[in-house]
Amino acid sequence: MEITYYPNPLLRKIAKPVAKITPQVLQTLDNMLALMYVANDKGGVGLAGPQVGLSERLLVIDPSHEDEERTPYFLINPEIVELSGEDCEYEEGCLSLPGIYAPVVRPEKCILKYLDREGKEQIIKADGFLARVIQHEMDHLNGKLFIDYLSPLRKKIIAKKLKMLEERYG
Ligand code: NI
């Protein structure tokens, strides 16, 4: 399993729902989490199926800080059911866009519905950093990247870095 980098077209595809939670799906989630922890020093706090070459609605997230106990979430077929709160600006990065960081405005809170590893429906009511990570990762399942939100000026600032990624990974 490897990270899919921008501008891989897979990152722009709408990922397919997982039809059945098989041992293979669980293994995939475990592998994704392991890969995310390896990439943790580069700021990896979430990873989506399309970021590892799989157009499937799978996410792993761990919003814990370095000095805290790990709190991994395994999310199958996740769905945002509500966005609320004030719009907040926060600097984002993405394992698929190495070296690029920019402030993105998103709602402060969200409610997420998903299936856990046993196939049971679960709900997360998130705010702050977790809500931010969830919204960023959900975008990956819908072919969206955080750079899509940037103002023309911000886009100009990162244009050179994007071009470098296009040359390297395109
Ligand atoms: Ni990302």
Side-chain angles (χ1 to χ4, degrees), residues 51 94 136-137 140:
Q51 290 186 277
C94 180
H136 175 115
E137 294 308 323
H140 278 301

Side-chain angles (χ1 to χ4, degrees), residues 9-114:
L10 198 69
L11 294 170
R12 292 306 191 179
K13 268 181 73 175
I14 297 193
K16 290 205 174 68
V18 175
K20 198 174 169 215
I21 302 171
T22 59
Q24 205 182 347
V25 169
L26 300 181
Q27 186 62 56
T28 298
L29 287 169
D30 290 338
N31 293 347
M32 285 170 70
L33 190 74
L35 183 60
M36 191 189 83
Y37 284 146
V38 168
N40 201 237
D41 58 333
K42 294 171 208 138
V45 288
L47 200 57
Q51 290 186 277
V52 293
L54 299 166
S55 197
E56 291 174 38
R57 301 188 85 79
L58 293 172
L59 300 181
V60 295
I61 285 174
D62 188 341
S64 63
H65 289 284
E66 268 169 67
D67 52 348
E68 290 172 345
E69 213 178 303
R70 285 175 170 180
T71 51
Y73 291 87
F74 300 97
L75 313 174
I76 301 166
N77 295 344
E79 218 180 295
I80 288 179
V81 290
E82 196 183 301
L83 291 167
S84 65
E86 279 178 40
D87 284 345
C88 300
E89 195 178 65
Y90 190 85
E91 185 159 271
E92 295 191 15
C94 180
L95 291 175
S96 294
L97 290 147
I100 296 180
Y101 301 90
V104 177
V105 176
R106 297 186 192 270
E108 185 189 3
K109 300 175 186 180
C110 67
I111 299 177
L112 187 83
K113 195 172 83 174
Y114 67 98

